[in-house]
Amino acid sequence: MTNHPVYNFSSGPGTLPEAVLRTAQHEMLDYNGTGMSVMTMSHRSDMFMSILHHAEQDLRGLLAIPDNYKVLFLQGGANAQFNMVVMNFANGFKRVDSVVTGNWSATAHSQMGKLSDVDIHLAADGKPSGYTALPGVGEWDIDAGSAFVHFVSNETANGLQYRTMPTLPEGMPPLVCDMSSEILSRKINVADFGVIYAGAQKNIGPAGVTVVIIREDLLERCSDRVPNVWNYKTHINKQGMYNTPATYPIYIAGLTFRWLQTQGGLKKMEALNDLKAETLYSAIDNSGGFYTNNIHPDARSKMNVVFSTGNADLDKRFALEASFRGLEFLSGYKSVGGMRASIYNAMPLEGVAALIDFMTEFQRRYG
Ligand SMILES: *Cc1c(COP(=O)(O)O)cnc(C)c1O
């Protein structure tokens, strides 16, 4: 045990609210007087069905999800969604538009066409900018006849985020968005999207569950030829119980949704996230060039803040020494290098302040 708090800046699995973990600890051996752990309960029991039901209702409340949207808690991570959205929603279409803005949308782009004849059209490419700027919606080359337009709203590895959420005019294909590393960090208008999906382990709960929010009319596109386990319609028809869902991660996600309610919902969360990000970016910008962030100011992520000293050895030392201070997992993504501080909902302002204190001290010693 350390005698000072540990702040976990991991990009995923990421930090969770201490209150959520304490509740889980308290209920570990005896959930709600049942004498059983949630982990060991039948997924078809009333007790678990109630957990699932409340998790969905609370998520609907937080995001103000309209009634014509279905919510699923699936497995396979966001990676599985790259293909599921194509298998289910590109059926009968010739083209999917794919916006590439960083590591995760590039991975999606490379995978979406597999097991499908559909053309995955590169609608915009941030690579020439070294993934330091985001192509605006006006620059996306999209076609009204495409099955959908896929994009990633927050690029976890590169530290980019659409600060204004893209929307498409009436008559354009539905937007399919990977929101893994920012869902529930700000208010969004769900009705602007055809599909939203997010692996839980960034901003919701433990690894193992993926939230998928689907506009109902799109389900008409699902074909019985898609195997049941990858078929959204099957999961919806079976109320999320086609096969065993990730029961324990869903329970923790439910606790996080309730925690978010007690924090004042997404409006409060957004204000706190704005403050944390502004504080950290200004520390970087005011370091006299010792620390730099090369992302275009309009595209700087409020969730994953990347920075570097410009010296790979010094960056490594930074992450190592920070870890001795209980500031964990500050190394950048493997292909990006440098440092990355993931400051999801559960990261308190104190954690950002502790990081900035360390940055100042590190600069004093090595600057
Ligand atoms: C982490 C991440 C993924 C990958 O998620 P898995 O759950 O590991 O499949 C995909 N997209 C984004 C934006 C991510 O942050």
Side-chain angles (χ1 to χ4, degrees):
M1 281 295 279
T2 49
N3 55 7
H4 53 83
V6 168
Y7 292 111
N8 175 1
F9 293 93
S10 168
S11 63
T15 187
L16 286 170
E18 189 178 320
V20 164
L21 296 177
R22 286 203 186 281
T23 302
Q25 179 186 41
H26 181 71
E27 296 178 337
M28 174 61 80
L29 300 182
D30 179 7
Y31 174 73
N32 209 10
T34 59
M36 288 177 283
S37 172
V38 173
M39 229 180 277
T40 65
M41 282 177 188
S42 163
H43 59 295
R44 300 191 189 281
S45 64
D46 289 346
M47 293 160 270
F48 182 74
M49 295 287 265
S50 162
I51 289 170
L52 179 66
H53 173 77
H54 283 106
E56 175 176 340
Q57 290 313 312
D58 290 343
L59 179 65
R60 283 183 176 278
L62 286 164
L63 283 171
I65 300 175
D67 288 344
N68 64 325
Y69 282 74
K70 299 289 189 190
V71 174
L72 286 172
F73 295 92
L74 299 180
Q75 302 194 46
N79 275 278
Q81 295 308 308
F82 298 160
N83 295 100
M84 276 181 76
V85 290
V86 175
M87 283 192 265
N88 285 274
F89 300 135
N91 182 32
F93 288 81
K94 290 199 171 59
R95 169 171 156 174
V96 162
D97 290 318
S98 156
V99 177
V100 173
T101 53
N103 171 76
W104 283 114
S105 49
T107 304
H109 185 80
S110 75
Q111 295 304 305
M112 284 194 291
K114 294 191 175 174
L115 284 180
S116 161
D117 294 329
V118 74
D119 169 33
I120 307 297
H121 172 73
L122 185 62
D125 189 5
K127 197 169 184 187
S129 83
Y131 299 134
T132 60
L134 289 169
V137 187
E139 300 162 56
W140 296 2
D141 175 34
I142 55 181
D143 188 87
S146 296
F148 56 82
V149 179
H150 181 272
F151 78 107
V152 174
S153 58
N154 182 71
E155 285 282 1
T156 323
N158 308 81
L160 296 147
Q161 183 176 29
Y162 278 99
R163 287 197 165 194
T164 303
M165 203 46 108
T167 55
L168 292 178
E170 199 69 28
M172 277 306 188
L175 277 173
V176 172
C177 183
D178 176 356
M179 274 190 210
S180 295
S181 49
E182 73 146 277
I183 191 165
L184 296 167
S185 69
R186 56 172 161 169
K187 289 184 77 167
I188 55 165
N189 183 21
V190 173
D192 290 335
F193 299 88
V195 181
I196 294 168
Y197 64 86
Q201 72 274 22
K202 311 287 164 61
N203 211 16
I204 293 179
V209 62
T210 309
V211 170
V212 189
I213 303 167
I214 302 170
R215 205 177 67 209
E216 226 164 38
D217 60 283
L218 291 171
L219 294 166
E220 286 162 20
R221 297 186 188 178
C222 301
S223 156
D224 288 344
R225 288 185 54 232
V226 175
N228 283 352
V229 74
W230 297 317
N231 195 318
Y232 294 122
K233 215 166 163 177
T234 309
H235 288 286
I236 284 162
N237 289 343
K238 301 283 183 187
Q239 274 89 42
M241 295 283 167
Y242 169 67
N243 64 330
T244 318
T247 52
Y248 200 76
I250 290 171
Y251 156 70
I252 301 286
L255 294 180
T256 304
F257 299 153
R258 259 186 241 166
W259 175 80
L260 283 166
Q261 291 170 342
T262 65
Q263 302 304 298
L266 299 197
K267 202 166 165 224
K268 281 277 168 57
M269 221 59 240
E270 181 169 353
L272 178 61
N273 287 330
D274 284 353
L275 179 61
K276 288 185 306 193
E278 263 167 45
T279 310
L280 188 46
Y281 281 116
S282 41
I284 293 166
D285 294 340
N286 294 328
S287 69
F290 183 72
Y291 301 108
T292 54
N293 164 286
N294 62 353
I295 305 298
H296 190 280
D298 295 343
R300 284 173 156 188
S301 169
K302 294 179 182 177
M303 294 280 99
N304 311 97
V305 177
V306 296
F307 57 103
S308 166
T309 64
N311 171 335
D313 290 334
L314 202 53
D315 287 350
K316 269 205 198 96
R317 181 175 283 273
F318 180 98
L320 183 69
E321 291 193 12
S323 158
F324 295 154
R325 301 295 182 80
L327 306 169
E328 294 286 3
F329 301 121
L330 280 161
S331 291
Y333 189 75
K334 49 191 187 296
S335 65
V336 177
M339 281 81 81
R340 169 179 52 176
S342 296
I343 50 174
Y344 298 126
N345 285 344
M347 175 59 64
L349 189 57
E350 292 76 21
V352 172
L355 172 59
I356 293 171
D357 281 350
F358 175 72
M359 289 167 71
T360 309
E361 189 214 300
F362 188 84
Q363 181 174 1
R364 204 178 305 128
R365 284 189 284 125
Y366 295 100

